[in-house]
């Protein structure tokens, strides 16, 4: 795939192509942070956006490529009327976060399972989550956050 997977670039929108590793995640978070600051996004929305971005990209890099290898993860952000949309595009294993089971809360760390908690935070932060598995084997995920 070449070019921006999010279509034509609109003034004020942001996109990045990242490696599927910690360096790529760091580059993405730095780029997102600069874009959020330039657009004077309020602190609460900025914190939610960073949390969602980090969780989604971490899950893609950690679980999307069990065979390993270098892959490119595309991410983008755009502002709408009272919304901030974060978009992600990758060629990893199909995964629809809307269909992932919701973990039940535990009352003890002894009984708590490892993993699966990040999606709870993403779902709580999101106004809407959209997912598509394309015919050419790509995941397209958009997490829309409310903003004042």
């Amino acid at each position: 795939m070449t070019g921006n997977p999010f279509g034509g670039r609109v003034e004020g929108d942001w996109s990045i192509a990242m490696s599927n590793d910690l360096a790529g995640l760091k580059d993405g978070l730095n780029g997102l942070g600069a874009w959020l600051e330039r657009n004077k996004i309020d602190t609460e929305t900025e914190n939610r956006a960073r949390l969602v971005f980090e969780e989604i990209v971490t899950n893609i890099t950690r679980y999307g490529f069990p065979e390993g290898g270098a892959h490119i993860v595309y991410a983008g952000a755009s502002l709408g009327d009272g919304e901030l949309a974060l978009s992600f595009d990758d060629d990893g294993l199909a995964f629809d976060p809307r269909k992932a089971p919701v973990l039940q809360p535990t009352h003890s760390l002894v009984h708590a399972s490892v993993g699966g908690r990040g999606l709870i935070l993403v779902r709580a932060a999101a106004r809407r989550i959209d997912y598509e598995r394309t015919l050419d084997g790509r995941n397209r995920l958009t997490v829309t956050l409310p903003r004042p």
Side-chain angles (χ1 to χ4, degrees):
M1 180 172 189
T2 60
N4 181 352
F6 306 110
R9 191 172 175 94
V10 176
E11 185 61 35
D13 286 355
W14 170 79
S15 65
I16 189 168
M18 304 171 285
S19 56
N20 63 319
D21 54 23
L22 288 176
L25 172 61
K26 182 180 177 184
D27 291 344
L29 282 169
N30 288 339
L32 177 64
W35 180 82
L36 292 166
E37 188 174 310
R38 272 193 314 276
N39 284 280
K40 297 175 176 44
I41 301 302
D42 64 283
T43 303
E44 183 179 335
T45 303
E46 178 181 349
N47 289 339
R48 283 193 315 248
R50 287 174 176 274
L51 179 140
V52 167
F53 188 92
E54 184 170 1
E55 181 61 30
I56 296 298
V57 175
T58 297
N59 283 350
I60 291 169
T61 60
R62 197 176 276 170
Y63 306 114
F65 309 104
E67 78 288 353
H71 296 264
I72 299 296
V73 177
Y74 297 93
S78 61
L79 296 172
D81 188 26
E83 296 181 333
L84 185 154
L86 297 171
S87 300
F88 306 89
D89 179 292
D90 68 84
D91 65 345
L93 295 176
F95 179 72
D96 185 345
R98 301 169 307 173
K99 295 181 179 176
V102 177
L103 295 177
Q104 297 303 313
T106 59
H107 300 289
S108 165
L109 287 177
V110 172
H111 297 103
S113 62
V114 175
R117 305 278 182 241
L119 284 179
I120 293 171
L121 297 173
V122 170
R123 288 173 175 155
R127 174 177 284 168
R128 188 176 71 250
I129 299 174
D130 298 299
Y131 172 82
E132 172 190 17
R133 180 70 173 182
T134 66
L135 293 176
D136 61 344
R138 300 194 69 81
N139 296 299
R140 299 259 170 89
L141 175 67
T142 301
V143 180
T144 305
L145 307 173
R147 66 183 185 96

CSV table of all heavy atoms in Angstrom, one decimal, residues 5 7 18 21 27 29 31 49 58 70 84 97-98 108-109 111 117 121 128 136 144-145:
chain,number,residue,atom,x,y,z
A,5,PRO,N,-3.4,6.2,3.6
A,5,PRO,CA,-4.6,5.3,3.5
A,5,PRO,C,-5.8,6.0,4.0
A,5,PRO,O,-6.9,5.4,3.9
A,5,PRO,CB,-4.2,4.2,4.5
A,5,PRO,CG,-3.3,4.8,5.5
A,5,PRO,CD,-2.5,5.8,4.7
A,7,GLY,N,-7.1,8.7,2.6
A,7,GLY,CA,-7.6,9.6,1.5
A,7,GLY,C,-6.9,10.9,1.5
A,7,GLY,O,-5.8,11.0,1.9
A,18,MET,N,4.3,4.4,10.7
A,18,MET,CA,5.2,4.0,11.7
A,18,MET,C,5.7,2.6,11.6
A,18,MET,O,4.9,1.8,11.0
A,18,MET,CB,4.5,4.1,13.1
A,18,MET,CG,3.8,5.4,13.5
A,18,MET,SD,2.8,5.2,14.9
A,18,MET,CE,1.4,4.3,14.2
A,21,ASP,N,7.1,-1.3,15.9
A,21,ASP,CA,7.9,-1.5,17.1
A,21,ASP,C,7.8,-0.3,18.0
A,21,ASP,O,7.1,0.6,17.8
A,21,ASP,CB,9.4,-1.8,16.6
A,21,ASP,CG,10.0,-0.7,15.8
A,21,ASP,OD1,9.5,0.5,15.8
A,21,ASP,OD2,10.9,-0.9,15.0
A,27,ASP,N,7.5,7.5,17.9
A,27,ASP,CA,7.3,8.5,16.8
A,27,ASP,C,5.9,8.9,16.7
A,27,ASP,O,5.6,10.1,16.5
A,27,ASP,CB,7.8,8.0,15.5
A,27,ASP,CG,9.3,7.8,15.4
A,27,ASP,OD1,10.0,8.3,16.3
A,27,ASP,OD2,9.8,7.0,14.5
A,29,LEU,N,3.4,8.8,19.0
A,29,LEU,CA,3.0,9.5,20.1
A,29,LEU,C,3.5,11.0,20.1
A,29,LEU,O,2.8,11.9,20.4
A,29,LEU,CB,3.4,8.9,21.4
A,29,LEU,CG,2.5,7.7,21.8
A,29,LEU,CD1,3.2,6.9,23.0
A,29,LEU,CD2,1.1,8.1,22.2
A,31,GLY,N,4.4,12.7,17.3
A,31,GLY,CA,3.7,13.4,16.3
A,31,GLY,C,2.3,13.7,16.7
A,31,GLY,O,1.8,14.9,16.4
A,49,ALA,N,-7.0,10.8,23.9
A,49,ALA,CA,-6.4,10.5,22.6
A,49,ALA,C,-5.1,9.8,22.8
A,49,ALA,O,-4.8,8.8,22.1
A,49,ALA,CB,-6.2,11.8,21.8
A,58,THR,N,0.0,-0.3,20.4
A,58,THR,CA,0.7,-1.3,21.2
A,58,THR,C,0.0,-2.7,20.9
A,58,THR,O,0.8,-3.7,20.7
A,58,THR,CB,0.6,-1.1,22.7
A,58,THR,OG1,1.3,0.1,23.0
A,58,THR,CG2,1.2,-2.2,23.5
A,70,ALA,N,9.1,-6.8,9.7
A,70,ALA,CA,8.9,-5.4,9.6
A,70,ALA,C,7.6,-5.1,8.9
A,70,ALA,O,7.3,-5.6,7.8
A,70,ALA,CB,10.0,-4.7,9.0
A,84,LEU,N,-13.0,14.1,17.9
A,84,LEU,CA,-11.6,13.9,17.5
A,84,LEU,C,-11.6,12.4,17.0
A,84,LEU,O,-11.9,11.5,17.8
A,84,LEU,CB,-10.6,14.2,18.6
A,84,LEU,CG,-9.1,14.1,18.2
A,84,LEU,CD1,-8.4,15.0,19.1
A,84,LEU,CD2,-8.6,12.7,18.2
A,97,PRO,N,-12.0,-4.9,17.6
A,97,PRO,CA,-12.1,-4.7,19.1
A,97,PRO,C,-13.5,-4.6,19.6
A,97,PRO,O,-13.7,-4.7,20.8
A,97,PRO,CB,-11.3,-3.4,19.2
A,97,PRO,CG,-11.3,-2.7,17.9
A,97,PRO,CD,-11.4,-3.8,16.9
A,98,ARG,N,-14.5,-4.3,18.7
A,98,ARG,CA,-15.9,-4.2,19.1
A,98,ARG,C,-16.4,-5.6,19.5
A,98,ARG,O,-17.4,-5.7,20.3
A,98,ARG,CB,-16.7,-3.6,18.0
A,98,ARG,CG,-16.3,-2.3,17.6
A,98,ARG,CD,-17.0,-1.9,16.3
A,98,ARG,NE,-16.9,-2.9,15.3
A,98,ARG,CZ,-17.5,-2.9,14.1
A,98,ARG,NH1,-18.3,-1.9,13.8
A,98,ARG,NH2,-17.3,-3.9,13.3
A,108,SER,N,-9.9,-8.9,43.3
A,108,SER,CA,-8.6,-9.3,43.9
A,108,SER,C,-7.6,-9.4,42.8
A,108,SER,O,-7.9,-10.0,41.8
A,108,SER,CB,-8.8,-10.6,44.7
A,108,SER,OG,-7.5,-11.2,45.0
A,109,LEU,N,-6.4,-9.0,43.1
A,109,LEU,CA,-5.3,-9.1,42.1
A,109,LEU,C,-5.0,-10.6,41.9
A,109,LEU,O,-4.5,-11.0,40.9
A,109,LEU,CB,-4.1,-8.4,42.6
A,109,LEU,CG,-4.2,-6.8,42.4
A,109,LEU,CD1,-2.9,-6.2,43.0
A,109,LEU,CD2,-4.4,-6.4,41.0
A,111,HIS,N,-7.0,-13.0,41.5
A,111,HIS,CA,-7.9,-13.5,40.5
A,111,HIS,C,-7.9,-12.8,39.2
A,111,HIS,O,-8.6,-13.2,38.3
A,111,HIS,CB,-9.3,-13.6,41.1
A,111,HIS,CG,-9.4,-14.5,42.3
A,111,HIS,ND1,-9.5,-14.0,43.6
A,111,HIS,CD2,-9.4,-15.8,42.4
A,111,HIS,CE1,-9.6,-15.0,44.4
A,111,HIS,NE2,-9.5,-16.1,43.8
A,117,ARG,N,-7.3,-5.4,29.6
A,117,ARG,CA,-7.8,-4.2,30.3
A,117,ARG,C,-7.7,-2.9,29.4
A,117,ARG,O,-8.5,-2.0,29.6
A,117,ARG,CB,-7.0,-4.0,31.6
A,117,ARG,CG,-7.0,-5.2,32.5
A,117,ARG,CD,-8.2,-5.3,33.3
A,117,ARG,NE,-8.1,-6.4,34.2
A,117,ARG,CZ,-8.9,-7.4,34.2
A,117,ARG,NH1,-9.9,-7.5,33.4
A,117,ARG,NH2,-8.8,-8.4,35.1
A,121,LEU,N,-10.5,0.5,28.6
A,121,LEU,CA,-10.2,1.9,28.6
A,121,LEU,C,-10.6,2.6,27.2
A,121,LEU,O,-11.1,3.7,27.2
A,121,LEU,CB,-8.8,2.2,28.9
A,121,LEU,CG,-8.3,1.7,30.3
A,121,LEU,CD1,-6.8,1.9,30.5
A,121,LEU,CD2,-9.0,2.5,31.4
A,128,ARG,N,-17.5,6.4,19.6
A,128,ARG,CA,-17.9,5.4,18.6
A,128,ARG,C,-16.6,4.7,18.2
A,128,ARG,O,-15.5,5.3,18.1
A,128,ARG,CB,-18.5,6.1,17.4
A,128,ARG,CG,-19.1,5.1,16.4
A,128,ARG,CD,-19.8,5.9,15.3
A,128,ARG,NE,-18.9,6.6,14.4
A,128,ARG,CZ,-18.7,7.9,14.3
A,128,ARG,NH1,-19.5,8.7,15.1
A,128,ARG,NH2,-17.9,8.5,13.5
A,136,ASP,N,-8.4,-6.7,0.8
A,136,ASP,CA,-6.9,-6.9,0.6
A,136,ASP,C,-6.2,-7.2,1.9
A,136,ASP,O,-5.0,-7.1,2.0
A,136,ASP,CB,-6.3,-5.7,-0.1
A,136,ASP,CG,-6.4,-4.4,0.6
A,136,ASP,OD1,-7.2,-4.3,1.6
A,136,ASP,OD2,-5.6,-3.4,0.3
A,144,THR,N,-13.6,7.3,17.6
A,144,THR,CA,-14.0,8.7,17.7
A,144,THR,C,-14.2,9.0,19.2
A,144,THR,O,-15.0,8.4,19.9
A,144,THR,CB,-15.3,8.8,16.9
A,144,THR,OG1,-15.1,8.4,15.5
A,144,THR,CG2,-15.7,10.3,16.9
A,145,LEU,N,-13.6,10.1,19.5
A,145,LEU,CA,-13.6,10.6,20.9
A,145,LEU,C,-14.5,11.9,21.0
A,145,LEU,O,-14.4,12.7,20.1
A,145,LEU,CB,-12.2,10.9,21.4
A,145,LEU,CG,-11.2,9.8,21.3
A,145,LEU,CD1,-9.8,10.4,21.7
A,145,LEU,CD2,-11.6,8.6,22.2
